[in-house]
Amino acid sequence: MPEITIRNLIIDFPFEPYDIQKDYMEKVIECLQNKTNGVLESPTGTGKTLSLLCSSLAWLCGQKAIFQMKQINNENVKSDNFMLNLEAKLNLQIGSSWNELTPRPPKIVYASRTHSQLNQVMLELKKTAYRHVKVGILGSRDQLCIHPQVSKETNMGAKIHMCKILTSARNCIYYNDVEKKVKDSSLFQEDRLIDIEDLIKKGKQTKCCPYFASRELQNDADILFAPYNYLLDPKTRRAHDIKLHNDVIILDEGHNVEKVCEESSSSHISSTIVAVCINEITAIMKIFHEQVEQSSFTEINLPKDFTSEELIYLKTIFMLIEKAIDEIELTDKKSKTFPGSFIFTILEKAQITPTKINSLSDVLNKVCQFLLTVNNSQIHQRGSSLSKFLEFLEIVFNSLGSNQSTNNTDLNFKLYVEAEIAKPLKGNSTWNSTNAEAGGKILNFWCFNPGFGMKSLLEQGVHCIILTSGTLSPLAATISEIRIPINVQLSNKHIIKSNQISAVVVDRGPGNQELKCVYQNRTNQKYLMDLAQTCLNFYRVIPGGILVFFPSYPFLKSCVDYWQENGVWNKMAAVKSIFVEPQSKEELKLMIEEYYKMINERGASLFAVCRGKVSEGMDFADAKARAVIVIGLPYPPFNDPKVMLKREYLDCGKKKNISSLDGNEWYQLEAMRAVNQAVGRVIRHADDHGAIIFCDCRFSFPNNIKSLSQWLQTHIVSRLSFGQSLKLVSSFFKQWKDIPTKIFLENVNITSPCSSYQYSRVLPAQKLAPNISKSSKVDYTKLYEASTSKDNTNKCETLSMISTKRKSFLDDLENSNNNNEKLDIYDEFHRSKNINENKYALQQSVKKRKITIMQTKSSDNLKKNESVNTTEYFDFKKYTTNLQKYLSAEQLKTFKEATKAYITTENCEQFILTLSQLFLTNKNDILLSLYKGLC
């Protein structure tokens, strides 16, 4: 592998790096050598992950070398010249000199949002010269537990307590001797790159708990992988015993860090939760009483972990909490906002103070574990409400900060109290068996400062923090949000060339309806129809897969419902198979597999939501996403209480610090960051190419363009007509010789939009031959019958075809030299039921499902028994020339307007009526023939 030197550090790289990769690695090394924090942006497809791994691990190898040298020097007391020179050289590379022996060398803690993203990082690590390093990965019991009973538990809190019960009593065969199993097993020691799936597989083979094995492996790891909520959440750090002193923290995909910081420091409780806690404590007291009655005073079979007096103490606390919550007065809007420290006023009424919280937490944990061992019909939730209340207390008291001051709570938190809305019971589910308390309230304890969590991370004594992503722009806003010292910044260019990306803002649809996805338009039928027609037209010129991102799930569902009701869904499905993003992980995996399959057969489109699972962390390289269509701006819900309080919080902060974000700026950036993530799906590597279509006029606003990723801004084209936008994208794919697959619609029932995912099946066809001349006729070479299996799944063979690449009717009309007025639409007129450009029609028998093809010209390759309908070839160019010649300017304008209206509404009767008035009122025989030719 090539060796390169950056800032005196030698780095092994898999290939000769690009300049932007060198720039990125230089900034990473600067952070490491100077022990300073950095915010680094480099677009998806620029080799960010590879550059990050190679530069950081090269530095780590130097750190380990100097650590070992220090140990040798301390053992030998005296150092010779060779060792001194080596130490000086290493200090030059790593950028710092150690004055004392540290307990261990530093490690790289590499965090991303999900384990699937971390698995992709580990695959990149295997490509490098640093694949020999020891790797650790952290996961939850939910992912790693292999115990037959515990792994089946669906409630996470219950699963944790069940695990603690078994391990404390050493009744789990997988946990017993886990340390010895990890050290002695060659399965764990020989393979240094172990991901979550490997841990589970090796754990089952050796009967060793993967969860605790991962904790053992983390102690000796050179690089530790973990989701970044494991680092940012103090509770999770303590639960996994994560020590970060002197370690390098890398937060990849860091555009989500602000949100994770806020969410990990926020919590809520309700009157219902408190009421259930009282019921469960009462049920335990009843069990105690029954045991006393059934046993002699010398043989009472009671749990030894807590006493009756402690149960009485807990019940008293919960009853006082319930009373304190009931006493909170709300406004007419059934809600009220308080300073964050007001929560301590409520807790003090129940005698819950910082000095008593540790003993209270200990008792609550013991009670929760006891409830998991009890089989009693009176105890429905098995301690889940008690666990929730304990979690709430931990977050509240963490808000005091390291100096235990309520000023920290007031500075970073708000308490929002709202009326609790009763929810209907869901069947026989024990989790939902308790309805909301009548007149109850919800206490929302919300953190609005991401810097609170980041500061907590810094206080662990880390070496440095590197926040990186492909979508951090604008960097100033990101730095303002995280509120930690940042001395190194980078916003990298993209590795691709200008001819690899086409980005266009579509202001209006083919029906000239303004595309603006505001609340008022979400029920506007004209807007919804023109939006569908916009997608439909782009479907025809874009090959492969298309990702269509909506601003929210409700709007996605309303569009699907409307389009299915009005028939446009079937027309879109006739061009590409359509899939809808489900909200379940399991269903999403199945849907993605089917989506990939249909791309290869005939092209596909995936409807997804900004901020959803599809919008980040998934790879859609090459034909899997040749284009991304963004519909609307995904603003957070404007009237959501949390959003409103966040804006108020930032507005107050703006008055104190003029350089910080205000509420409106944050609100705008939230939408654009989600858009940046969505459009990042289209270019996945240096040789990829694709298009980005922004279907909302607001994307042409200068402020919105500036909020997009910096590399994309210079490629955006706006202020075009719809026809010009369509031509721009069509020409882009023609230069790459990407030609959309022509398709033949099969009559199938479209599934309900409420299902997890759906797609429309159509007969696939081979790509159009690229070298056919414009005058070529249609020649069908192969024909197969479609067969149906017992489960009604159609199995279609390929219908190969060669078709003419001819400009559309409106294109000829628009580009005629005899007319200076341009049409605002470029559409394929073969949708008209009369025009002979429809050279085939598929007719399906209900019983045998046979397909008959009718074509315009006979072919020697057709089967003898096939019917052939021969008609004369229709020349659009000649037809448009005649129109220009024999129609007046006013008549031509009428013809254009009628054609636009037909394409939008597809009202054929009105179209023919308008043309009859235009052509038949004129006695010209040529015009009459033109009318007959059209009809």
Side-chain angles (χ1 to χ4, degrees):
M1 292 186 177
E3 288 186 351
I4 58 171
T5 302
I6 300 177
R7 293 179 66 91
N8 300 311
L9 180 66
I10 299 174
I11 303 171
D12 287 318
F13 207 74
F15 50 84
E16 186 62 33
Y18 297 101
D19 289 340
I20 61 172
Q21 292 171 333
K22 292 179 181 178
D23 294 341
Y24 185 85
M25 288 190 284
E26 182 177 1
K27 293 297 182 180
V28 172
I29 296 168
E30 183 180 349
C31 293
L32 299 172
Q33 290 179 343
N34 298 336
K35 300 182 71 172
T36 187
N37 306 318
V39 172
L40 313 178
E41 181 187 47
S42 192
T44 302
T46 56
K48 168 178 62 70
T49 302
L50 202 60
S51 303
L52 190 57
L53 288 171
C54 290
S55 55
S56 59
L57 290 174
W59 174 86
L60 180 65
C61 290
Q63 287 279 6
K64 291 183 66 177
I66 200 170
F67 176 81
Q68 294 170 356
M69 186 193 65
K70 287 284 186 180
Q71 287 182 316
I72 295 173
N73 286 345
N74 284 339
E75 291 174 359
N76 297 334
V77 181
K78 294 182 180 180
S79 301
D80 55 22
N81 289 334
F82 173 78
M83 297 298 293
L84 292 174
N85 291 335
L86 179 60
E87 179 181 359
K89 185 176 181 180
L90 287 172
N91 283 332
L92 184 64
Q93 288 188 6
I94 65 176
S96 62
S97 178
W98 294 1
N99 297 320
E100 57 181 328
L101 184 64
T102 58
R104 62 171 176 82
K107 67 176 64 171
I108 306 294
V109 182
Y110 196 112
S112 191
R113 191 176 68 91
T114 65
H115 277 102
S116 62
Q117 291 172 333
L118 292 173
N119 287 341
Q120 293 176 19
V121 176
M122 295 180 76
L123 291 175
E124 291 294 306
L125 178 57
K126 292 179 181 179
K127 300 175 184 178
T128 72
Y130 304 98
R131 52 185 173 272
H132 63 277
V133 299
K134 294 181 179 179
V135 173
I137 186 166
L138 295 179
S140 65
R141 288 178 176 87
D142 195 41
Q143 297 165 308
L144 294 173
C145 180
I146 58 175
H147 190 279
Q149 282 75 44
V150 179
S151 60
K152 293 179 182 178
E153 176 60 50
T154 56
N155 180 267
M156 190 60 197
K159 181 175 287 187
I160 292 173
H161 288 298
M162 289 174 68
C163 176
K164 288 180 178 179
I165 291 171
L166 291 173
T167 54
S168 60
R170 306 195 71 81
N171 288 330
C172 178
I173 60 172
Y174 302 98
Y175 169 76
N176 296 339
D177 299 323
V178 64
E179 183 178 356
K180 184 176 183 299
K181 291 176 182 177
V182 171
K183 289 183 178 180
D184 294 346
S185 174
S186 59
L187 290 174
F188 287 104
Q189 296 301 321
E190 293 178 0
D191 189 358
R192 298 195 169 195
L193 283 173
I194 303 177
D195 59 19
I196 290 290
E197 293 180 357
D198 293 331
L199 274 174
I200 295 173
K201 182 179 178 180
K202 296 176 188 299
K204 290 179 178 179
Q205 290 175 340
T206 59
K207 291 189 176 181
C208 176
C209 174
Y211 174 75
F212 286 100
S214 69
R215 296 179 63 167
E216 289 295 326
L217 292 171
Q218 96 178 59
N219 296 327
D220 298 326
D222 296 317
I223 180 168
L224 179 65
F225 293 100
Y228 47 57
N229 64 299
Y230 283 45
L231 309 182
L232 299 171
D233 188 344
K235 305 187 303 299
T236 309
R237 280 205 306 267
R238 289 195 297 270
H240 288 82
D241 194 27
I242 300 175
K243 304 289 194 303
L244 299 175
H245 181 73
N246 201 43
D247 290 340
V248 175
I249 309 300
I250 295 175
L251 301 176
D252 197 4
E253 302 300 329
H255 52 274
N256 287 312
V257 162
E258 299 104 303
K259 185 178 180 181
V260 172
C261 284
E262 291 180 351
E263 289 180 347
S264 63
S265 299
S266 302
S267 187
H268 75 277
I269 58 168
S270 64
S271 298
T272 298
I273 290 176
V274 176
V276 174
C277 290
I278 294 173
N279 291 340
E280 292 188 339
I281 298 297
T282 303
I284 298 174
M285 295 173 74
K286 185 177 180 180
I287 294 172
F288 270 45
H289 179 69
E290 291 173 350
Q291 289 181 349
V292 170
E293 289 184 343
Q294 295 172 4
S295 307
S296 64
F297 287 104
T298 57
E299 297 179 354
I300 297 177
N301 184 24
L302 294 178
K304 301 295 189 296
D305 290 339
F306 54 89
T307 64
S308 302
E309 289 76 14
E310 287 174 326
L311 288 176
I312 295 172
Y313 168 66
L314 288 179
K315 185 169 182 178
T316 302
I317 284 178
F318 284 119
M319 293 183 72
L320 291 173
I321 283 286
E322 187 177 50
K323 181 181 177 182
I325 294 175
D326 289 341
E327 291 174 350
I328 301 174
E329 295 183 359
L330 304 182
T331 63
D332 295 338
K333 295 182 179 181
K334 304 292 184 180
S335 63
K336 193 170 184 179
T337 304
F338 299 90
S341 61
F342 184 71
I343 188 63
F344 296 108
T345 303
I346 297 173
L347 294 177
E348 284 173 2
K349 293 180 180 180
Q351 303 173 12
I352 303 176
T353 61
T355 57
K356 297 181 180 180
I357 185 62
N358 289 334
S359 59
L360 177 61
S361 298
D362 185 52
V363 176
L364 283 171
N365 270 315
K366 292 175 181 178
V367 172
C368 289
Q369 292 182 24
F370 172 76
L371 287 171
L372 291 171
T373 64
V374 176
N375 185 14
N376 192 301
S377 60
Q378 298 179 23
I379 303 174
H380 298 295
Q381 298 191 17
R382 304 177 68 195
S384 58
S385 292
L386 289 170
S387 298
K388 179 66 179 177
F389 182 78
L390 179 57
E391 176 189 330
F392 179 79
L393 292 181
E394 290 177 346
I395 288 176
V396 166
F397 283 97
N398 279 333
S399 71
L400 294 170
S402 56
N403 59 353
Q404 294 293 291
S405 171
T406 55
N407 290 334
N408 291 326
T409 307
D410 284 334
L411 188 63
N412 303 298
F413 294 81
K414 293 288 184 183
L415 180 66
Y416 179 77
V417 184
E418 60 182 330
E420 187 175 13
I421 301 174
K423 297 180 180 179
L425 298 178
K426 298 181 180 179
N428 297 322
S429 172
T430 57
W431 177 252
N432 297 288
S433 58
T434 302
N435 210 338
E437 285 285 292
K441 301 179 181 71
I442 300 176
L443 275 62
N444 299 288
F445 187 69
W446 289 331
C447 176
F448 292 109
N449 179 14
F452 180 79
M454 295 297 291
K455 183 180 178 182
S456 173
L457 196 58
L458 277 179
E459 290 174 348
Q460 303 301 308
V462 300
H463 182 89
C464 68
I465 298 175
I466 298 176
L467 183 68
T468 184
S469 177
T471 53
L472 291 175
S473 294
L475 296 189
T478 301
I479 295 170
S480 173
E481 279 275 84
I482 62 177
R483 302 189 184 186
I484 61 173
I486 299 294
N487 297 323
V488 179
Q489 301 180 37
L490 174 68
S491 184
N492 234 343
K493 299 177 182 178
H494 212 297
I495 203 169
I496 62 172
K497 299 177 182 178
S498 59
N499 68 336
Q500 291 177 255
I501 185 72
S502 175
V504 60
V505 178
V506 181
D507 295 326
R508 292 181 176 273
N512 206 33
Q513 176 72 33
E514 183 181 54
L515 299 182
K516 189 174 184 180
C517 186
V518 293
Y519 182 78
Q520 295 83 353
N521 270 345
R522 296 190 178 187
T523 56
N524 183 339
Q525 295 184 4
K526 291 183 178 179
Y527 167 75
L528 293 175
M529 184 57 71
D530 226 23
L531 186 61
Q533 295 291 344
T534 298
C535 293
L536 178 58
N537 277 278
F538 279 107
Y539 279 12
R540 292 188 175 120
V541 301
I542 298 174
I546 301 177
L547 304 179
V548 183
F549 286 100
F550 293 77
S552 66
Y553 284 107
F555 182 60
L556 166 59
K557 185 179 183 301
S558 65
C559 285
V560 172
D561 290 344
Y562 180 80
W563 294 342
Q564 288 191 344
E565 291 171 1
N566 290 273
V568 70
W569 178 272
N570 287 338
K571 296 171 186 176
M572 297 168 72
V575 184
K576 290 184 182 291
S577 297
I578 303 177
F579 297 80
V580 178
E581 176 185 14
Q583 298 188 36
S584 163
K585 289 182 179 179
E586 294 75 17
E587 292 174 336
L588 177 64
K589 184 178 179 181
L590 295 174
M591 185 271 293
I592 291 295
E593 291 176 358
E594 192 67 29
Y595 169 75
Y596 288 165
K597 177 183 176 182
M598 294 307 295
I599 286 173
N600 296 327
E601 292 187 9
R602 57 175 299 273
S605 174
L606 172 54
F607 288 0
V609 174
C610 291
R611 301 188 187 90
K613 298 179 183 67
V614 173
S615 66
E616 58 179 298
M618 300 190 70
D619 185 29
F620 291 97
D622 302 318
K624 294 176 182 176
R626 276 293 174 228
V628 165
I629 298 176
V630 182
I631 296 174
L633 288 163
Y635 290 110
F638 187 82
N639 293 321
D640 182 88
K642 195 171 185 179
V643 173
M644 295 172 68
L645 288 175
K646 174 71 174 182
R647 297 179 67 174
E648 291 177 10
Y649 173 84
L650 291 173
D651 288 338
C652 291
K654 182 75 170 181
K655 296 176 182 177
K656 300 175 183 178
N657 182 5
I658 192 68
S659 62
S660 63
L661 287 175
D662 63 27
N664 286 332
E665 290 171 332
W666 168 83
Y667 191 71
Q668 178 73 18
L669 284 173
E670 279 295 290
M672 299 311 296
R673 283 170 176 166
V675 170
N676 285 332
Q677 273 304 111
V679 300
R681 302 309 93 199
V682 74
I683 301 293
R684 306 302 295 176
H685 55 83
D687 298 321
D688 207 351
H689 67 274
I692 302 170
I693 298 108
F694 297 102
C695 291
D696 196 297
C697 62
R698 293 170 293 176
F699 280 110
S700 59
F701 297 172
N703 288 341
N704 287 336
I705 292 178
K706 290 179 181 178
S707 299
L708 291 170
S709 296
Q710 193 171 12
W711 69 269
L712 180 60
Q713 295 177 18
T714 56
H715 297 287
I716 296 176
V717 178
S718 59
R719 308 298 181 186
L720 299 179
S721 69
F722 180 79
Q724 292 169 331
S725 300
L726 190 64
K727 283 184 179 179
L728 184 69
V729 175
S730 178
S731 300
F732 169 78
F733 285 107
K734 284 180 180 178
Q735 76 169 357
W736 286 97
K737 297 183 179 179
D738 280 345
I739 303 172
T741 305
K742 277 229 174 183
I743 46 76
F744 306 84
L745 180 62
E746 179 188 9
N747 295 326
V748 296
N749 293 325
I750 309 300
T751 60
S752 168
C754 298
S755 62
S756 58
Y757 69 89
Q758 65 258 358
Y759 63 95
S760 301
R761 290 176 285 108
V762 297
L763 290 176
Q766 192 175 0
K767 285 188 176 181
L768 302 183
N771 298 320
I772 303 300
S773 65
K774 292 183 180 181
S775 60
S776 299
K777 304 297 188 295
V778 176
D779 181 20
Y780 297 93
T781 58
K782 294 181 180 180
L783 178 65
Y784 297 90
E785 292 184 351
S787 61
T788 306
S789 61
K790 292 182 180 180
D791 60 355
N792 294 325
T793 302
N794 291 334
K795 299 176 181 179
C796 304
E797 296 290 345
T798 301
L799 176 64
S800 301
M801 60 168 283
I802 300 175
S803 178
T804 174
K805 284 176 56 181
R806 179 168 27 78
K807 292 184 179 180
S808 74
F809 165 74
L810 291 178
D811 193 36
D812 290 330
L813 187 62
E814 180 181 20
N815 293 318
S816 173
N817 295 327
N818 299 327
N819 182 32
N820 294 325
E821 182 182 0
K822 298 290 184 182
L823 287 169
D824 290 333
I825 184 166
Y826 175 71
D827 200 352
E828 297 189 1
F829 201 69
H830 68 264
R831 289 188 303 158
S832 172
K833 73 172 187 178
N834 318 93
I835 303 303
N836 290 327
E837 188 177 357
N838 265 339
K839 299 205 180 343
Y840 51 82
L842 295 183
Q843 299 177 345
Q844 188 172 6
S845 171
V846 177
K847 295 182 179 180
K848 297 183 179 180
R849 287 184 174 271
K850 292 184 178 181
I851 297 174
T852 303
I853 294 186
M854 294 180 292
Q855 61 168 18
T856 59
K857 294 290 183 180
S858 61
S859 172
D860 295 335
N861 295 324
L862 287 175
K863 296 179 180 180
K864 295 180 179 180
N865 295 331
E866 288 178 358
S867 60
V868 176
N869 178 28
T870 305
T871 59
E872 189 176 349
Y873 180 76
F874 190 89
D875 192 330
F876 276 102
K877 191 168 186 179
K878 182 178 179 181
Y879 184 83
T880 54
T881 302
N882 287 332
L883 282 181
Q884 296 285 340
K885 184 176 180 181
Y886 293 103
L887 287 180
S888 66
E890 187 65 28
Q891 289 174 325
L892 186 62
K893 182 179 179 182
T894 302
F895 179 80
K896 294 176 186 176
E897 291 173 352
T899 305
K900 288 183 186 179
Y902 169 70
I903 291 172
T904 304
T905 64
E906 298 202 347
N907 188 335
C908 187
E909 290 76 11
Q910 182 61 42
F911 181 51
I912 296 299
L913 177 62
T914 304
L915 294 190
S916 65
Q917 295 172 354
L918 178 66
F919 287 97
L920 300 182
T921 54
N922 196 309
K923 301 298 184 182
N924 193 311
D925 293 336
I926 297 179
L927 285 178
L928 181 60
S929 65
L930 288 176
Y931 174 71
K932 291 180 179 179
L934 185 63
C935 299

